[in-house]
Amino acid sequence: MGTSYRRSVAVLPVFVVLAFVVAAGAGRQRSTARTAADLVIIGPVYTLAWNDPAADGTPAATAPRDSAGRWHPDAGAVAVSGGRIAFAGPAEEAAPLTGPRTRTIRLTGNAVVVPGMVDAHVHAFELGASLERVNLVGATTEQEAVERVAERARGTPRAAWIVGWGWDEGAWANRYPDMRLLSERVPNHPVYLRGLHSYAVWGNRLAFERAGITAATPSPAGGEIRKDAAGQPTGILLNAASALLERAVPAPTTDRLKTRLRAALRTLAASGYVTVHEAGADSREMDALRQLDAAGELPIRVYAMLAARDEALLGRWLARGPDRTNERMLVTRSVKAFYDGALGSRGAWLLEDYSDRPGHRGERDRSFHPDRLTAMMKAGFQLSVHAIGDAANREVMDFIRAAAPPAPGRHRIEHAQVMAPADIPRMAALGVIASMQPPHAVEDMPWAEARVAERIKGAYAWRSIRRAGVPLVFSSDLPGSGYDLFYGLNSAVTRRDREGRPAGGWYPEQVVTIDEALRGYSRWAAYAAFREQQTGIIAPDRWADLTVLSLDPFTAPPDALLRGTIVMTIVNGKVVYER
Ligand SMILES: [Zn+2]
């Protein structure tokens, strides 16, 4: 932790203003533009520079609250200069920082400034692809999904692939669709439809023909080709079997990947995010990222995790080592591996049988390669492992304990979704970060309890994680889940869905406070990416990464949070989105 981290925020503005006065006095003949700020925002600011709340959520003594416990902003203005925060403090003290070339923004309505928001687990290429694909999100029946595909087929050249995404394999798991209706309505285009959680795919007859999947094709390890009573493929592939169909779809070119990435990052900038952690980029995706970075075309920062499944990619980065500077828009210092599947499709690896499928405990992911990952950790890479089931979480911790060098590597478990209660303190002892998704709790609640029964007490257990002292970070896992920031915040502080159900919240003892939720999307996300010295709070010399919200999340009633919108997103002092 640096010295500025410890200094109280009340002292900082005075210190900085003095510095400016001294600088101006010493160089009167210099143009004012050299000391004036590039941008000054006048309006309420929550710096998040006060201390973390206690493990039970009680705000720190230094938190900006009145004697009745009501929150209030802790600054009235922010000034930005050269891509850094120059000042945060009372509005009247910002006046000397404005010059002829300063852009001054006066916030109106209930808008407030918060540190730049971070989505710490995203799949930006998939978001970009989903903007191109047939969108099946929200289709409640097989007929509805098939109609959306048929509509697209009418405008697509004959025999070209149609790719769709977003039918809910978790919700439909008890009665999957098949290829019959889809093949009848769309006979002339091969169709590949990926599930919302990426653990099941659905195809038509022509797609299965192109992929060469027949009655004689055996299910691969870790996956299932669903077959009917006569032994014919039904049109559904689960877990590892999905790849049999996916690999028949022509791969996108690097230019196509760059187009998708640009579209995705623009969308995310408009969603208030200044940084995303890309949870697993393969060689070609890393090429696209690096080309856009080199061309100065990344609108927001990307913290990239290398896809562990791509052995050649890991080999190249093992030789090169993790990036050593944070001062780039693209930083690569983490490796993303999978240990198991998802809970909805019953692919998560559990210690005991699924409550709704006796005899079945899920699957370990076959791509988890301990030696390869150990080598990457020893070379200084952070390990970020997808683990959903309680057995997966336990075994990942066993692996990290055995493989990690003594220095804490800030390794991460992505999702940490179902935890045996005894494993939560272990996670704290190992310094492993819990990277969790508030939307998952409210999206999975209709069926999650059926899968694990009483084990649900250790599932999506944000408060238990905080109480144990485990570092926590929040994200959406987009595009599989909703990535609206206000939906994430609302999920975190209420555990209610968009319709406000259930009224009292789902296992409400696990909610976090708004102070914690915002940290999960900013300050704690900075820690998870080794950049807490550069960002996470609004304070002098930090990156000028800011998000302006249409409402004050500290004082808005929880249900009003969902009506919030993004007013402005600022990265490196540049306005990258403005409503
Ligand atoms: Zn993910």
Side-chain angles (χ1 to χ4, degrees):
M1 299 291 155
T3 49
S4 63
Y5 176 82
R6 289 213 185 86
R7 257 185 236 136
S8 97
V9 73
V11 174
L12 276 171
V14 177
F15 173 81
V16 172
V17 167
L18 281 176
F20 269 93
V21 169
V22 170
R28 279 231 160 87
Q29 60 274 53
R30 280 187 293 175
S31 76
T32 40
R34 291 187 66 164
T35 47
D38 303 323
L39 174 69
V40 173
I41 304 177
I42 310 287
V45 180
Y46 285 97
T47 65
L48 291 190
W50 62 90
N51 291 340
D52 277 352
D56 68 357
T58 305
T62 50
R65 299 195 308 154
D66 65 17
S67 55
R70 280 185 299 261
W71 289 93
H72 56 79
D74 60 335
V78 190
V80 168
S81 182
R84 305 262 165 177
I85 306 281
F87 168 81
E92 56 275 18
E93 291 177 22
L97 307 181
T98 57
R101 295 169 66 181
T102 304
R103 178 181 177 194
T104 300
I105 296 169
R106 285 172 200 282
L107 298 186
T108 56
N110 299 315
V112 300
V113 185
V114 294
M117 293 286 111
V118 177
D119 192 327
H121 182 127
V122 308
H123 301 277
F125 290 96
E126 287 184 31
L127 174 62
S130 76
L131 298 171
E132 290 177 0
R133 287 174 188 154
V134 183
N135 184 0
L136 302 177
V137 175
T140 52
T141 64
E142 177 177 353
Q143 287 74 12
E144 189 182 348
V146 168
E147 276 319 306
R148 292 190 195 177
V149 178
E151 166 87 37
R152 174 67 64 91
R154 282 193 277 279
T156 304
R158 198 180 164 94
W161 280 81
I162 292 175
V163 174
W165 166 86
W167 62 280
D168 192 342
E169 73 267 57
W172 294 9
N174 293 321
R175 195 182 168 282
Y176 282 122
D178 59 32
M179 65 166 67
R180 221 166 353 158
L181 182 65
L182 185 59
S183 306
E184 256 169 51
R185 298 281 294 117
V186 189
N188 301 319
H189 302 78
V191 176
Y192 168 82
L193 305 175
R194 201 161 163 192
L196 187 61
H197 310 284
S198 299
Y199 286 92
V201 302
W202 172 23
N204 68 350
R205 191 162 292 121
L206 193 53
F208 272 61
E209 279 173 28
R210 291 273 186 96
I213 304 166
T214 67
T217 311
S219 288
E224 183 190 354
I225 302 172
R226 304 271 290 187
K227 291 179 180 171
D228 62 19
Q232 294 297 326
T234 65
I236 293 290
L237 305 169
L238 298 179
N239 297 307
S242 306
L244 298 177
L245 193 58
E246 187 173 5
R247 68 187 177 213
V249 181
T253 61
T254 302
D255 278 348
R256 170 63 63 193
L257 288 176
K258 284 159 69 177
T259 302
R260 288 178 182 175
L261 186 60
R262 272 192 216 97
L265 297 180
R266 273 199 301 269
T267 298
L268 292 169
S271 306
Y273 299 109
V274 300
T275 297
V276 291
H277 299 188
E278 174 66 20
D282 65 17
S283 292
R284 287 155 23 79
E285 291 165 343
M286 283 305 300
D287 285 346
L289 276 164
R290 294 176 74 180
Q291 286 178 25
L292 285 194
D293 184 34
E297 290 184 46
L298 292 176
I300 64 174
R301 300 177 197 272
V302 179
Y303 179 78
M305 305 178 194
L306 303 166
R309 281 173 172 152
D310 189 334
E311 188 176 358
L313 177 70
L314 259 54
R316 289 193 296 278
W317 279 88
L318 182 63
R320 169 192 171 133
D323 283 348
R324 282 173 182 81
T325 176
N326 289 332
E327 303 294 338
R328 286 198 67 89
M329 294 297 281
L330 172 65
V331 171
T332 307
R333 56 185 300 175
S334 188
V335 176
K336 168 76 189 304
F338 282 84
Y339 201 85
D340 66 348
L343 193 62
S345 60
R346 301 185 185 84
W349 176 233
L350 297 180
L351 293 165
E352 304 289 341
D353 292 358
Y354 276 79
S355 302
D356 55 0
R357 189 179 289 174
H360 179 71
R361 293 186 181 182
E363 305 278 354
R364 288 192 189 87
D365 193 293
R366 305 289 164 139
S367 73
F368 192 86
H369 196 298
D371 294 344
R372 198 186 297 165
L373 295 173
T374 301
M376 295 299 282
M377 291 161 82
K378 290 202 190 304
F381 285 91
Q382 174 189 57
L383 183 65
S384 303
V385 190
H386 166 117
I388 301 267
D390 49 11
N393 277 284
R394 178 172 297 176
E395 290 171 20
V396 167
M397 280 189 262
D398 291 343
F399 171 74
I400 288 173
R401 192 190 49 195
R410 299 193 194 179
H411 302 301
R412 299 167 50 158
I413 293 184
E414 301 301 315
H415 313 306
Q417 202 169 84
V418 183
M419 302 280 295
D423 285 334
I424 297 178
R426 266 188 86 204
M427 205 171 173
L430 288 168
V432 170
I433 297 165
S435 170
M436 304 180 76
Q437 295 71 37
H440 282 178
V442 303
E443 289 171 12
D444 295 358
M445 69 185 176
W447 46 261
E449 207 159 347
R451 302 283 186 279
V452 295
E454 73 285 350
R455 288 167 285 185
I456 203 75
K457 295 260 192 284
Y460 318 91
W462 312 319
R463 176 58 62 204
S464 304
I465 295 245
R466 281 277 294 138
R467 278 188 200 280
V470 178
L472 179 64
V473 55
F474 282 152
S475 60
S476 67
D477 198 11
L478 68 89
S481 287
Y483 53 89
D484 177 299
L485 172 69
F486 295 94
Y487 169 58
L489 293 173
N490 184 67
S491 302
V493 302
T494 69
R495 293 173 74 98
R496 288 197 291 258
D497 67 13
R498 285 191 174 94
E499 283 71 47
R501 294 180 304 228
W506 188 56
Y507 293 97
E509 63 276 14
Q510 296 293 348
V511 298
V512 295
T513 65
I514 188 68
D515 189 13
E516 293 171 306
L518 284 163
R519 278 158 203 267
Y521 286 102
S522 56
R523 188 169 174 166
W524 297 344
Y527 175 81
F530 304 91
R531 51 181 60 171
E532 70 276 12
Q533 302 296 326
Q534 289 87 30
T535 188
I537 62 174
I538 299 176
D541 293 333
R542 303 287 176 132
W543 291 340
D545 289 4
L546 304 166
T547 303
V548 183
L549 312 177
S550 67
L551 53 73
D552 179 341
F554 285 92
T555 59
D559 291 328
L561 269 179
L562 283 171
R563 295 194 291 276
T565 55
I566 301 300
V567 175
M568 191 175 286
T569 308
I570 295 167
V571 179
N572 247 343
K574 289 199 278 288
V575 177
V576 295
Y577 170 76
E578 196 165 0
R579 189 175 62 185

